[in-house]
Amino acid sequence: MDQQHKVIPLLLLLFQVLLVASQTDSQDYSGLNSLTESWSYKPQNWVGPDPCGSGWDGIRCSNSRITQLRLPGLNLGGQLSSAIQSLSELDTLDLSYNTGLTGTVPQEIGNLKKLKSLSLVGCGFSGRIPDSIGSLKQLTFLALNSNNFSGTIPRSLGNLSNVDWLDLAENQLEGTIPVSDDQGRPGLDLLLKAHHFHMGSNKLTGTIPEKLFNSNMILEHVLFDHNQLEGGIPRSLSTVSTLEVVRFDKNGLTGGVPANLNKLGKLSEIYLSHNSLNGSLPDFSGMNSLTYVDLSDNDFNASDIPSWVTTLPGLTTVILGQNRLGGALNLSRYSSSLQLMNLEDNEITELDPENNSPTFELRLANNPLCRESGASERSYCKVPVPNPSFYSTPTNNCLPSPCGSDQVSSPNCKCAFPYSGLLISRALSFSNFSNASYYRELEQSLMDTFRNQSIPVDSVSLSNPFRNTIDNFELTLDVFPSQTDRFNTTGVLTIAFLLSNQIYKPPEFFSPYIFKGANYEYYGGEPKGSKSSSHVGVIVGAVVAVVVFVVLAFFAGMYALRQKRRARRSAELNPFANWEQNTNSGTAPQLKGARWFSFDDLRKYTSNFSETNTIGSGGYGKSSFARFIKEIFPLGSWLPSNGLQKSLCRVLLNLKLRSNFYQGSIIRISSVLWVSVLRRVNKCWCMSTFQMAL
C-alpha cells in the first residue's frame, strides 16, 4: 500500500507534464467541457484534453486560447449554458442550424467582451433576448433570426456602435421599435454603422418612429415586413441616402407615401403592399435604380396608371393590384427590362394599342377590360398559376447515374450525399422565374466562393424555386462533395459558416439573402488523396507527450519494484516480522528460522526491553519479552560481570520448551534444567537456536 501511495505523486506529475505540453489554455478547456458536457451529436474528433493542439472540428485558437466556436449545421442538441462566459477570448460564436439547441440564451453571454460575431440562426432558442448583448461593444454581426425569441427588442442593442448586420427576423418579438430618448436610454437610431435592419415576421406594434432614421446612417436594407405596425411611413426615411431595399409590407400602415422618397437614388426594391396606405399614388419618376415595386392592396385614390410604370429603365417588376387604378393602359412604349406588370383587380377599361402583345407578363384579371365578351380567353385576363417554374440545375453533358438510397446524382453525374438547405432571397429583384440565366449566375457565384475558400466541392444544384408565404423567394440548394461521396465534419462546418455569416456574396438581384441548413447525417472521412489537416507542430507535440509518458511510466515502475524489494528484504531481516500480532489469539508465536541475536538486536527489537512489547497472550494474561528475560534471570547475579556483553546464551539445539502461560510470566522453566544447559563463557553468551514453543 505504501508503494502505491508513492506512485500516485508520480502519476500526478505525469498529468501536469501533459497539461504543460497541451496547446489549449486549461481554463478554456474546462469551460468548453462545462458548456458542451450535456450536448448531443458533438464532433467525433472531440477527444483528449487539447482542442487547440488536436485540431478539434469547429474550434479555432490563437496563442493557446479558444477564439472561435464555429459549429453550424451539426444537429447539436442541448442548451447554451452560463459556462459560455469561461471562453473569454471568443470573437466568433456560430451555432446556427442546430434546431436541437433550445432554452434561453444566458445573460452571461454579455461577458464575452471580445465577441465580434454572434450567429444563432435557425436554432430552437426561446425567451427574451438578453439585455447583456448590448454590452458587446465590438460586435459587428448579430444574427438571431429564425428562432422563438419573445418579449421586446432590448434597448441595449442601441449600444452596439460597431454592428453592421442586425437580424432579428422570424421570431415572436413584440412591443415597439426602441429609439433613444431624453433620459439617455439607447435605441436603434444610434446604430450609425449598421447596413442591415432585418426585423420582419415578428409581432412588433406601434408606429415606426420618426427618430429611427437620420442622415448619419448608412443603412442599405430596412426590413420590417409582416408585423403589426401602425401609423405612417416616417419622412426621415428619405434622409438615409444609402438605402437599397425597403420592406414595410404586411402591416397596418396608414396615411400617404412621403413624396420625398424619390430622393432615394439608390433604392432598388420597395415593398409597401397589404397596408392601408391612402392618398395619391407615389411618383417614382427619376428613380432609375428601381427594379421591383409592390404597392398592391392599399387604399390609394382612384387615378390613372402613372407613367413611370412603363418608363423606368431598370424596372423588372411592378405590382399595383387592388388600388382603384382606371383609364387606359398605354403600352406603346415600355422598358425592355420589364418582366411583370400586375394590375389585377383595378378599374382599367382599355388597352392601347388594343392588339399589342407585350414581351413581358401582363396581368389584368378582374378589370372591366377582361369582363367584355370573349376577353376571358386573352392571356392577360387569365388568373396565373402560382410558381410555374420547375427549374433544376441541368447535367454537365453527362447521363445521370442510378444512385443508392439517399444518394443524389450531381450535375456531374456522380452519386453522393449532398449538403442541403434553403437559399432564400428576402428582396428578389426579378419575376421571370423561368429565366435560367439567373440561376446559372447564382450557381457560378456559389462555386467561385467555395473554390476561393478551398472547400472540396464538386458542383452545386438549385431546384424548386417559389415564393413562400412571407413573399420571400426560396430555392433548394444541394452542395456536392469532391473526390468522395460525402462531406466530413469540416466540410459541412465550412459551408454552413460561409452562408450563416454572410461571407458568401450573391449577385445583386438575390440580395439580401439567408440560408437555412438541413441536418447532415452522412459524415465521412477525409477526401481521397487529401493530406491530414493536422500541422507538424501538433504531430511533434503528440510524439513528445507520448515519449514523456513512456519514460515517466518506466521510472515509476522501477521505483515501485525497488521499494517492493526493499520492503521484502527488511521483512526477512526482522526476526519478529512474522510473529502473529493478534493479541486476542492464544497461539504461540513462532520465530521463522534460526539466527544469531546480539544484545543490541534484542534491545532494538524490544524497544529497550519495554514492557509494552507484547509477545503473546493466554488464559493467564499477557507477557512481554522484558518479563521473559526477568523470569529467566530473576536476580541477575549469575550474569557475566560485564552483563550481556556480546550475546545471550546458546540454548540446546532443537530444545522444545512447552508450558502453559502463568500469570506474570510467559515461560516457566525449571532452574535445574537451565543450570544443566547453560554454561558460562567469559566473552559471550551464544545460542544456535532460540525457539520457544508455548
Side-chain angles (χ1 to χ4, degrees):
M1 183 64 70
D2 290 339
Q3 285 73 28
Q4 294 178 355
H5 288 307
K6 293 176 181 178
V7 172
I8 289 175
L10 290 178
L11 296 178
L12 292 176
L13 176 61
L14 172 61
F15 181 72
Q16 292 294 330
V17 169
L18 293 178
L19 282 182
V20 171
S22 172
Q23 295 185 26
T24 306
D25 178 81
S26 59
Q27 178 182 341
D28 283 2
Y29 174 67
S30 176
L32 183 63
N33 263 347
S34 299
L35 174 66
T36 64
E37 61 182 351
S38 63
W39 287 6
S40 57
Y41 302 107
K42 289 179 284 189
Q44 294 182 356
N45 74 337
W46 279 27
V47 292
D50 192 9
C52 296
S54 301
W56 283 16
D57 286 332
I59 305 293
R60 298 206 173 185
C61 305
S62 177
N63 297 324
S64 299
R65 301 301 303 274
I66 296 177
T67 57
Q68 296 189 8
L69 210 56
R70 300 181 178 185
L71 302 172
L74 292 185
N75 196 26
L76 297 174
Q79 296 189 337
L80 183 60
S81 71
S82 59
I84 188 65
Q85 66 180 326
S86 300
L87 303 177
S88 57
E89 292 294 313
L90 270 189
D91 61 49
T92 300
L93 176 60
D94 187 358
L95 302 176
S96 301
Y97 319 136
N98 292 298
T99 56
L101 290 178
T102 59
T104 59
V105 175
Q107 287 285 348
E108 287 80 2
I109 201 168
N111 294 330
L112 302 177
K113 303 301 183 183
K114 297 185 178 181
L115 202 63
K116 296 179 181 178
S117 176
L118 174 59
S119 182
L120 305 178
V121 179
C123 298
F125 293 114
S126 58
R128 301 179 70 89
I129 296 175
D131 291 332
S132 60
I133 289 182
S135 64
L136 303 176
K137 299 298 181 64
Q138 296 190 43
L139 204 63
T140 61
F141 187 90
L142 177 59
L144 305 179
N145 52 295
S146 306
N147 282 280
N148 295 303
F149 289 115
S150 58
T152 59
I153 298 175
R155 281 183 169 273
S156 61
L157 298 187
N159 291 323
L160 302 177
S161 56
N162 289 303
V163 76
D164 170 82
W165 181 281
L166 177 59
D167 196 340
L168 308 179
E170 297 180 52
N171 282 291
Q172 303 295 321
L173 299 176
E174 54 192 14
T176 60
I177 301 171
V179 293
S180 60
D181 58 22
D182 296 337
Q183 300 177 15
R185 295 185 299 177
L188 302 185
D189 56 301
L190 301 180
L191 303 181
L192 302 182
K193 293 184 179 180
H195 288 85
H196 307 271
F197 277 1
H198 296 187
M199 302 179 199
S201 300
N202 279 292
K203 298 179 180 179
L204 299 177
T205 56
T207 63
I208 304 174
E210 188 75 30
K211 193 175 184 179
L212 181 60
F213 306 107
N214 60 74
S215 60
N216 294 321
M217 288 181 148
I218 55 174
L219 286 168
E220 295 177 2
H221 303 152
V222 174
L223 312 181
F224 283 92
D225 56 286
H226 293 80
N227 279 286
Q228 301 169 19
L229 298 171
E230 302 172 341
I233 299 173
R235 292 180 57 84
S236 59
L237 183 66
S238 64
T239 65
V240 186
S241 60
T242 53
L243 277 177
E244 297 177 4
V245 177
V246 173
R247 287 197 65 171
F248 290 146
D249 49 305
K250 292 288 181 72
N251 278 287
L253 300 179
T254 57
V257 177
N260 60 359
L261 287 188
N262 59 12
K263 295 180 179 179
L264 298 175
K266 294 183 179 181
L267 192 63
S268 176
E269 292 98 17
I270 183 167
Y271 293 70
L272 301 178
S273 62
H274 305 291
N275 282 290
S276 298
L277 298 171
N278 51 43
S280 300
L281 202 68
D283 183 7
F284 291 150
S285 298
M287 300 179 68
N288 293 335
S289 295
L290 276 178
T291 59
Y292 196 104
V293 177
D294 188 353
L295 304 177
S296 60
D297 191 19
N298 278 288
D299 295 326
F300 292 117
N301 298 338
S303 65
D304 293 336
I305 300 170
S307 60
W308 56 262
V309 169
T310 57
T311 58
L312 289 177
L315 197 61
T316 66
T317 306
V318 56
I319 304 175
L320 300 176
Q322 297 176 269
N323 274 308
R324 294 184 291 178
L325 298 176
L329 175 59
N330 187 350
L331 294 180
S332 58
R333 53 187 294 266
Y334 52 85
S335 170
S336 60
S337 62
L338 201 57
Q339 298 175 1
L340 171 65
M341 182 183 294
N342 186 340
L343 299 174
E344 295 174 333
D345 297 296
N346 278 292
E347 301 298 329
I348 299 172
T349 58
E350 183 180 355
L351 185 63
D352 184 24
E354 183 177 357
N355 297 322
N356 185 26
S357 297
T359 58
F360 58 87
E361 182 180 359
L362 178 63
R363 299 180 185 178
L364 296 175
N366 298 319
N367 276 278
L369 174 66
C370 291
R371 299 190 191 106
E372 297 176 358
S373 177
S376 60
E377 297 302 319
R378 300 169 185 168
S379 60
Y380 53 76
C381 288
K382 295 179 180 179
V383 176
V385 178
N387 301 319
S389 177
F390 300 99
Y391 176 83
S392 181
T393 301
T395 59
N396 295 325
N397 300 317
C398 59
L399 293 176
S401 304
C403 298
S405 177
D406 294 333
Q407 286 189 325
V408 180
S409 181
S410 73
N412 291 328
C413 302
K414 298 178 181 178
C415 294
F417 299 97
Y419 176 59
S420 303
L422 294 177
L423 194 62
I424 303 171
S425 172
R426 285 175 166 170
L428 195 68
S429 64
F430 70 89
S431 297
N432 187 2
F433 299 160
S434 61
N435 187 342
S437 63
Y438 291 109
Y439 305 115
R440 287 196 295 267
E441 186 176 351
L442 197 58
E443 291 161 0
Q444 187 61 50
S445 66
L446 285 164
M447 285 300 300
D448 289 343
T449 298
F450 295 146
R451 287 168 180 157
N452 291 337
Q453 297 291 328
S454 299
I455 304 174
V457 171
D458 173 76
S459 56
V460 298
S461 173
L462 298 175
S463 59
N464 305 319
F466 74 101
R467 279 197 178 273
N468 60 22
T469 56
I470 56 176
D471 294 326
N472 290 335
F473 181 71
E474 290 188 5
L475 283 164
T476 299
L477 170 64
D478 291 321
V479 183
F480 292 88
S482 176
Q483 302 179 5
T484 183
D485 68 342
R486 66 196 68 201
F487 285 107
N488 59 14
T489 305
T490 301
V492 170
L493 289 177
T494 307
I495 294 171
F497 183 77
L498 289 177
L499 296 169
S500 65
N501 280 259
Q502 300 289 314
I503 296 173
Y504 163 65
K505 303 301 181 185
E508 284 297 322
F509 63 78
F510 204 78
S511 183
Y513 80 96
I514 60 169
F515 177 74
K516 294 183 178 180
N519 293 331
Y520 192 73
E521 301 175 352
Y522 311 105
Y523 290 110
E526 294 290 337
K528 298 176 183 178
S530 66
K531 297 181 179 180
S532 173
S533 59
S534 300
H535 50 75
V536 176
V538 173
I539 298 175
V540 173
V543 171
V544 170
V546 170
V547 171
V548 170
F549 176 83
V550 171
V551 171
L552 289 181
F554 172 77
F555 282 111
M558 293 296 295
Y559 178 81
L561 182 61
R562 181 182 178 187
Q563 291 298 102
K564 184 176 181 180
R565 288 177 177 174
R566 290 181 62 183
R568 184 184 300 165
R569 182 180 178 184
S570 176
E572 291 174 352
L573 293 176
N574 186 350
F576 303 106
N578 292 294
W579 283 32
E580 186 178 357
Q581 298 298 315
N582 188 348
T583 58
N584 295 323
S585 173
T587 305
Q590 299 294 319
L591 183 65
K592 184 178 181 180
R595 59 158 294 185
W596 292 91
F597 296 92
S598 69
F599 178 79
D600 292 333
D601 288 335
L602 291 175
R603 182 167 58 185
K604 172 183 177 182
Y605 296 134
T606 62
S607 299
N608 200 24
F609 302 102
S610 171
E611 299 238 7
T612 61
N613 291 280
T614 303
I615 62 172
S617 63
Y620 292 98
K622 302 177 181 180
S623 185
S624 65
F625 193 84
R627 300 193 65 179
F628 173 63
I629 294 298
K630 292 177 182 179
E631 185 73 17
I632 296 176
F633 311 115
L635 298 176
S637 59
W638 57 287
L639 290 173
S641 60
N642 56 351
L644 295 177
Q645 295 177 2
K646 296 288 185 177
S647 63
L648 292 173
C649 298
R650 181 176 183 179
V651 181
L652 185 63
L653 183 65
N654 295 326
L655 176 65
K656 297 183 178 180
L657 303 178
R658 302 177 180 275
S659 179
N660 294 326
F661 275 98
Y662 292 95
Q663 184 176 8
S665 66
I666 188 171
I667 298 176
R668 182 174 298 276
I669 302 175
S670 170
S671 60
V672 176
L673 176 61
W674 281 101
V675 168
S676 64
V677 300
L678 295 176
R679 59 190 179 88
R680 185 165 183 168
V681 180
N682 288 330
K683 292 186 178 179
C684 69
W685 295 77
C686 59
M687 69 179 176
S688 171
T689 301
F690 197 176
Q691 182 177 7
M692 294 176 297
L694 304 180

